């Protein structure tokens, strides 16, 4: 495209959320000055949200990291790249010799490209020699990945966003798409206006509830009972697909037996959802010829999140609603490349394509390609890394694009862990809460300054193009990781991201036919065959499991890890706001800050009145592990007994309140159920103490 107002324009993919909007980034004098939606973007059809549209504002913030930093006499000072690389090679080399490679761990960034994450896991495995590598899907959709692999085979959505338009009905459970995935949220809203019958399931009335035929507001942490109740009604009222169950699934017998316990009245007792509403919701879903289920963190970030995702799969399977246009299981994956970082094997137990590190054939193929011996011992997950750091077994971490000191649960514990390390490297685009504990900080590039690919929530691999150069001495993440790996003695011999993708394709069956020219403007949805054929819909004929059948798991409802009691009588649910993104490092440096410059606690008028809280008061929120102060907003969007806030502002530090309860199979934190005590702050409003573990 040529436009006299700009020096250049590049088509790229948004670096914020898993919708994967295609964008045109327009540059003038070395700065991106405007971003517009690509009209032919397969996920966005010419739309964006305010994060994508104003993303360029952070890219030239004066606070960008522009030079490496090294800690000397307790403070971070500017340093040259040579000095920084030397320090990293010397310290990691020393720690590896003294304590072995498993004393070092790394985190890959789900904000970065597939090629960056590939380079990161290769560096940890081949240059350092450990499988201690993880990414933030651990705290996000790892339960989804676990459950989809168990039930269906692949770790990815079974369909595409276009299934929203092809469906007659949809259930949205534990996701708030108009804020978290706004362009997908807008597609859902449009479809609802054209007749899509919607069920929303959320303790809060979300915006899409206003367009729903039925809204169910269960107690936080009781999703399993709701889903089993829906399945009970579907079975009782003849809405199941017996032929599909018989031909394509296994395990239904035990599931059917379990369903007996979850009649609508039993479910009402557990969840608080009126029996009649549950029945109506089951009919909306079950009566549609094609219907989809979309879910988010309100399902996964719980003690039994991975079990609830398996139950969701069970509901879709017993009603035969998988593998056709309109009948999809669509987890709304969070970050722009959280699907991809896991696909690339930035996980402690799997290589790319979710193949186990102790699978001898797979490990040998990687050894041959990288010319080195590789560990067969699965590594540590993120929470295990922090525990090991405090225990003194983990000595060093390399944290690439993740602000764990703000976003991981139990902030005091995380900071204790970071403090306990002998050596910490951070690779980011800004100083963050985490870089405060770093010994070396490496200045990296944002998505507007590099090439590569992101994989969105519909498994679509899309090209990312550089619109501008990284600022100052900052380098692309790929360059940095390749240089660090070389300094550690493992030369990756990859000319750049495109060559890395060739290596990924050669070593990963689902990527066999992926090349940059084939990705073109629309991308490809994996698995991609050698001839370039991709897969918008999975499982039309067979599931990706031995024998080709899907597995229906009979898993009963179990109590959440935390519960309200006399001392902590309210349940805090945490989530997101439209204007800000996760750690907020980027959106707090755009005009979005003017739209929302602080966070607040949502509380129901009945609770507020009982606690003598009025709208705008500063309140103290205390949990079993920490305390914060925050302004209150009195609203009927939340049910009595529950309160809600986000985690985008370091001034608030919501995660001081979150304990260590986590999903039983994947260690995904229970961010969504925290028993708290809320009371007004009578004295002058104070800043939240930095580390008020009370
Ligand atoms: N604007 C914005 N967009 C984002 C992000 C952001 O920070 N800001 N982050 C991105 C990331 S990383 C992710 S993972 C996605 C997340 O996107 P979503 O999955 O939509 O995330 P949340 O808003 O955290 O939680 C969704 C809903 O779950 C509900 N919920 C809580 N507990 C329960 C429960 O027990 N049962 C049910 N049924 N619902 C429950 C909450 O009330 C909330 O409305 O968003 C991505 N997009
Ligand atoms: N209380 C509570 N806490 C939560 C959640 C919740 O629902 N409630 N949700 C959790 C979820 S789902 C997630 S995914 C996590 C997210 O937590 P994080 O992954 O920590 O958050 P992000 O803001 O997405 O980005 C992490 C860092 O990457 C940097 N970055 C961005 N782009 C690039 C790049 O291209 N290169 C490099 N090197 N760095 C880059 C940013 O500056 C930022 O410091 O938070 C979790 N925390
Ligand atoms: S919906 Fe997501 S991918 Fe699209 S512009 Fe907004 S943040 Fe970016
Ligand atoms: Mo996430």
């Amino acid at each position: 495209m040529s436009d006299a107002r700009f020096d250049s324009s590049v088509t790229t993919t948004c670096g914020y959320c898993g919708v994967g909007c295609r964008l045109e980034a327009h540059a003038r004098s070395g700065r991106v000055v405007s971003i517009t939606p690509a009209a032919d973007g397969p996920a966005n059809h010419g739309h964006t949200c305010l994060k994508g549209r104003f993303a360029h504002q952070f890219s030239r913030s004066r606070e960008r990291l522009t030079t490496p930093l090294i800690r000397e006499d307790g403070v971070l000072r500017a340093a040259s790249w040579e000095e920084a690389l030397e320090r990293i090679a010397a310290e990691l080399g020393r720690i590896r010799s003294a304590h072995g490679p498993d004393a070092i761990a790394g985190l890959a960034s789900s904000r970065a490209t597939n090629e960056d994450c590939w380079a990161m896991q290769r560096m940890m495995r081949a240059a350092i020699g450990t499988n201690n590598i993880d990414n933030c899907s651990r705290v996000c959709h790892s339960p989804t990945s676990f459950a989809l692999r168990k039930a269906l085979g692949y770790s990815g959505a079974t369909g595409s966003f276009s299934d929203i338009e092809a469906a007659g009905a949809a259930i949205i459970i534990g996701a708030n798409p108009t804020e978290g995935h706004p362009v997908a949220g807008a597609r859902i809203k449009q479809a609802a206006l054209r007749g899509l019958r919607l069920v929303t399931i959320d303790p809060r009335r979300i915006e899409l509830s206003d367009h729903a035929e039925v809204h169910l507001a269960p107690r936080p942490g009781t999703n399993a009972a709701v889903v089993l109740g829906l399945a009970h009604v579907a079975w009782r009222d003849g809405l199941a697909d017996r032929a599909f169950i018989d031909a394509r699934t296994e395990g239904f017998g035990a599931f059917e037996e379990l369903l007996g316990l979850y009649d609508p009245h039993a479910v009402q007792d557990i969840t608080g959802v009126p029996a009649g509403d549950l029945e109506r919701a089951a009919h909306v879903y079950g009566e549609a010829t094609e219907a989809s289920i979309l879910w988010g963190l309100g399902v996964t970030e719980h003690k039994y999140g991975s079990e609830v995702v398996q139950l969701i799969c069970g509901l879709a399977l017993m009603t035969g609603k998988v593998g056709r246009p309109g009948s999809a299981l669509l987890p709304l994956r969070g970050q722009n490349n959280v699907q991809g970082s896991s696909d690339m094997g930035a996980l402690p137990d799997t290589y790319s394509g979710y193949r186990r590190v102790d699978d001898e054939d797979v490990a040998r193929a990687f050894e041959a390609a990288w010319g080195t011996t590789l560990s067969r011992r699965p590594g540590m997950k993120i929470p295990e890394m922090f525990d090991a750091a405090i225990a003194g077994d983990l000595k060093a971490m390399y944290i690439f694009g993740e602000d764990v000191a703000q976003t991981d649960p139990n902030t005091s514990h995380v900071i204790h862990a970071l403090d306990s390390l002998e050596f910490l490297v951070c690779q980011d685009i800004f100083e963050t809460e985490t870089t405060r504990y770093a010994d070396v900080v490496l200045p990296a590039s944002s998505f507007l300054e590099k090439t590569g690919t992101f994989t969105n929530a519909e498994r679509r691999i899309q090209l990312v193009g550089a619109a501008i150069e990284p600022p100052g001495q900052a380098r692309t993440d790929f360059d940095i990781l390749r240089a660090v790996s070389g300094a550690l003695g493992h030369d990756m011999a990859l000319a750049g991201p495109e060559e890395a993708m060739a290596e990924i394709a050669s070593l990963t069956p689902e990527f066999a036919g992926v090349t940059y020219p084939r990705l073109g403007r629309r991308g490809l949805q994996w698995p991609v065959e050698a001839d370039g054929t991709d897969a918008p819909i999975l499982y039309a004929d067979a599931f990706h499991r031995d024998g080709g059948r899907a597995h229906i798991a009979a898993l009963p409802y179990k109590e959440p890890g935390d519960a309200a009691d006399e001392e902590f009588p309210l349940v805090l649910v945490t989530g997101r706001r439209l204007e800000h993104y996760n750690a907020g490092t980027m959106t707090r440096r755009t005009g979005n800050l003017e739209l929302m410059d602080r966070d607040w606690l949502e509380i129901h008028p009945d609770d507020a009145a009982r606690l003598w809280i009025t709208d705008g008061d500063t309140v103290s929120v205390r949990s079993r592990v920490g305390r914060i102060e925050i302004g209150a907003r009195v609203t009927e969007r939340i049910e009595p007994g529950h309160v809600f806030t986000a985690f985008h502002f370091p001034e608030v530090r919501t995660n001081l309140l979150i304990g260590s309860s986590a999903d039983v199979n994947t260690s995904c934190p229970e961010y969504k159920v925290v028993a708290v005590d809320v009371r007004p702050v009578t004295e002058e409003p104070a800043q939240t103490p930095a580390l008020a573990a009370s």
Side-chain angles (χ1 to χ4, degrees):
M1 192 202 325
S2 82
D3 183 322
R5 290 170 298 162
F6 310 122
D7 301 337
S8 60
S9 295
V10 162
T11 308
T12 190
T13 306
C14 180
Y16 279 114
C17 91
V19 175
C21 295
R22 295 282 287 161
L23 307 174
E24 313 280 359
H26 311 287
R28 192 172 57 229
S29 311
R31 303 168 76 93
V32 173
V33 290
S34 144
I35 291 179
T36 51
D40 59 351
N44 57 313
H45 299 174
H47 298 277
T48 64
C49 76
L50 80 174
K51 291 190 302 300
R53 196 159 176 81
F54 299 110
H56 53 289
Q57 295 175 341
F58 74 78
S59 70
R60 282 299 178 263
S61 157
R62 273 195 297 274
E63 289 159 349
R64 278 290 298 269
L65 288 167
T66 54
T67 160
L69 306 173
I70 282 184
R71 189 167 301 277
E72 194 171 87
D73 300 328
V75 292
L76 288 170
R77 63 147 172 94
S80 69
W81 276 103
E82 292 69 40
E83 223 183 331
L85 290 175
E86 259 169 42
R87 174 82 74 100
I88 294 171
E91 285 295 300
L92 294 184
R94 174 185 67 74
I95 289 168
R96 186 175 47 182
S97 308
H99 306 285
D102 290 336
I104 303 172
L107 302 183
S109 181
S110 299
R111 307 299 304 281
T113 63
N114 284 315
E115 294 77 359
D116 297 339
C117 291
W118 178 264
M120 178 71 194
Q121 59 88 35
R122 180 167 165 184
M123 177 180 88
M124 293 308 297
R125 292 193 160 112
I128 292 177
T130 180
N131 287 311
N132 288 338
I133 169 79
D134 207 350
N135 76 80
C136 77
S137 82
R138 181 68 52 213
V139 301
C140 181
H141 271 278
S142 53
T144 294
S145 174
F146 174 92
L148 291 178
R149 282 154 71 193
K150 249 187 136 66
L152 314 174
Y154 285 120
S155 171
T158 71
S160 309
F161 289 126
S162 57
D163 290 308
I164 295 165
E165 286 93 21
I171 295 178
I172 300 180
I173 172 165
N176 184 15
T178 55
E179 305 212 22
H181 301 81
V183 169
R187 280 178 79 163
I188 298 167
K189 215 189 302 181
Q190 287 298 322
L193 293 172
R194 284 196 305 267
L196 172 72
R197 300 176 70 191
L198 269 188
V199 174
T200 55
I201 307 178
D202 197 302
R204 293 186 305 155
R205 241 192 116 73
I206 56 170
E207 190 189 340
L208 285 176
S209 307
D210 297 345
H211 301 267
E213 201 165 316
V214 190
H215 171 65
L216 310 180
R219 282 201 296 120
T222 62
N223 289 321
V226 177
V227 178
L228 286 161
L230 294 171
H232 175 103
V233 176
W235 185 239
R236 183 194 72 187
D237 295 355
L239 301 168
D241 184 341
R242 190 76 235 197
F244 191 97
I245 294 171
D246 290 343
R248 303 210 38 199
T249 71
E250 61 180 43
F252 184 72
F255 191 65
E256 184 190 350
E257 214 168 289
L258 180 67
L259 291 185
L261 302 173
Y262 296 92
D263 67 74
H265 290 285
V267 171
Q268 178 170 342
D269 288 344
I270 299 170
T271 65
V273 169
D277 289 353
L278 185 85
E279 288 174 332
R280 280 168 59 218
H283 279 260
V284 168
Y285 177 73
E287 283 165 6
T289 316
E290 307 299 344
S292 292
I293 308 180
L294 290 78
W295 70 93
L297 304 178
V299 168
T300 59
E301 288 177 343
H302 286 284
K303 187 166 181 192
Y304 298 101
S306 55
E307 297 196 352
V308 176
V309 180
Q310 290 178 76
L311 293 172
I312 288 173
C313 293
L315 173 64
L317 289 164
M318 71 174 279
T319 52
K321 296 195 200 310
V322 190
R324 290 186 309 273
S327 286
L329 287 162
L330 290 176
L332 292 169
R333 302 300 303 260
Q335 290 156 312
N336 54 315
N337 198 37
V338 66
Q339 175 75 49
S341 58
S342 298
D343 296 344
M344 291 299 101
L347 291 171
D349 53 345
T350 57
Y351 285 108
S352 62
Y354 305 91
R355 291 159 303 156
R356 287 192 57 86
V357 292
D358 50 14
D359 179 323
E360 210 35 56
D361 293 341
V362 175
R364 286 220 188 95
F366 278 85
E367 287 180 334
W370 295 342
T372 180
T373 49
L374 296 167
S375 169
R376 307 292 193 267
R377 194 169 40 253
M380 291 182 242
K381 301 179 190 133
I382 297 176
E384 292 165 349
M385 292 176 189
F386 295 142
D387 292 346
I390 290 170
D393 299 328
L394 187 72
K395 305 289 186 189
M397 284 186 80
Y398 192 116
I399 300 183
F400 160 30
E402 217 174 311
D403 189 7
V404 292
Q406 189 183 334
T407 57
D408 264 49
N410 204 347
T411 308
S412 314
H413 183 75
V414 173
I415 288 175
H416 184 190
L418 297 177
D419 252 341
S420 306
L421 294 171
E422 286 178 18
F423 188 63
L424 173 62
V425 182
C426 289
Q427 176 172 325
D428 207 293
I429 57 176
F430 290 108
E431 288 197 66
T432 66
E433 293 304 310
T434 308
T435 61
R436 289 170 190 264
Y437 304 90
D439 298 288
V440 177
V441 179
L442 301 176
S445 49
S446 78
F447 77 99
L448 293 165
E449 300 147 4
K450 59 176 155 190
T451 60
T453 57
F454 295 151
T455 305
N456 79 352
E458 40 173 24
R459 294 173 281 105
R460 190 186 298 276
I461 310 153
Q462 306 191 101
L463 285 170
V464 176
I468 47 171
E469 295 285 312
Q473 293 177 47
R475 291 165 67 171
T476 66
D477 287 296
F478 190 84
D479 270 357
I480 298 171
L481 293 163
R482 191 177 46 183
V484 174
S485 184
L488 290 166
H490 177 74
D491 178 4
M492 292 192 192
L494 293 170
E498 189 162 3
E499 205 170 303
M501 182 52 84
E503 181 175 272
I504 295 165
S506 73
L507 285 166
T508 315
E510 291 80 18
F511 277 63
V514 178
T515 64
Y516 281 12
R518 276 184 182 153
L519 291 177
R521 287 187 68 85
R522 297 186 54 82
L524 292 168
Q525 288 171 277
W526 66 251
V528 181
E529 289 170 34
D531 67 2
T533 310
D534 76 340
I537 295 178
L538 298 176
Y539 317 127
D541 306 310
F543 290 94
H544 187 61
R545 298 177 78 248
D546 286 344
R549 281 172 180 267
H551 179 70
I552 298 180
L555 298 159
Y557 163 75
K558 302 175 196 106
E559 292 279 333
D562 201 0
D565 57 19
E566 241 169 63
E567 192 183 356
F568 299 100
L570 294 170
V571 171
L572 169 70
V573 178
T574 62
R576 310 172 141 67
R577 312 277 186 201
L578 174 66
E579 296 81 357
H580 288 286
Y581 192 88
N582 291 353
T585 58
M586 292 146 89
T587 45
R588 282 186 282 107
R589 291 179 173 100
T590 68
N592 294 11
L593 192 64
E594 283 148 41
L595 300 174
M596 182 185 158
D597 67 354
R598 72 192 63 190
D599 214 338
W600 60 84
L601 184 81
E602 287 167 28
I603 183 165
H604 189 272
D606 294 353
D607 290 321
R610 195 168 42 80
L611 295 165
W612 298 88
I613 292 168
T614 49
D615 201 62
D617 281 357
T618 299
V619 295
S620 149
V621 186
R622 195 168 58 89
S623 75
R624 294 180 214 282
V625 299
R627 190 181 85 85
I628 64 167
E629 288 181 10
I630 186 170
R633 185 166 294 180
V634 180
T635 166
E636 285 183 353
R637 285 224 169 235
I638 189 135
E639 296 288 306
H642 308 159
V643 287
F644 179 90
T645 190
F647 61 104
H648 307 307
F649 287 85
E651 298 83 355
V652 175
R653 310 218 82 175
T654 306
N655 283 321
L656 282 166
L657 299 173
I658 316 281
S660 54
S661 179
D663 175 54
V664 286
N665 290 305
T666 66
S667 308
C668 181
E670 193 177 38
Y671 287 117
K672 299 293 192 245
V673 185
V674 183
V676 292
D677 174 55
V678 178
R679 55 186 64 199
V681 173
T682 38
E683 65 274 22
E684 277 293 288
Q687 283 287 331
T688 295
L691 267 184
S694 56

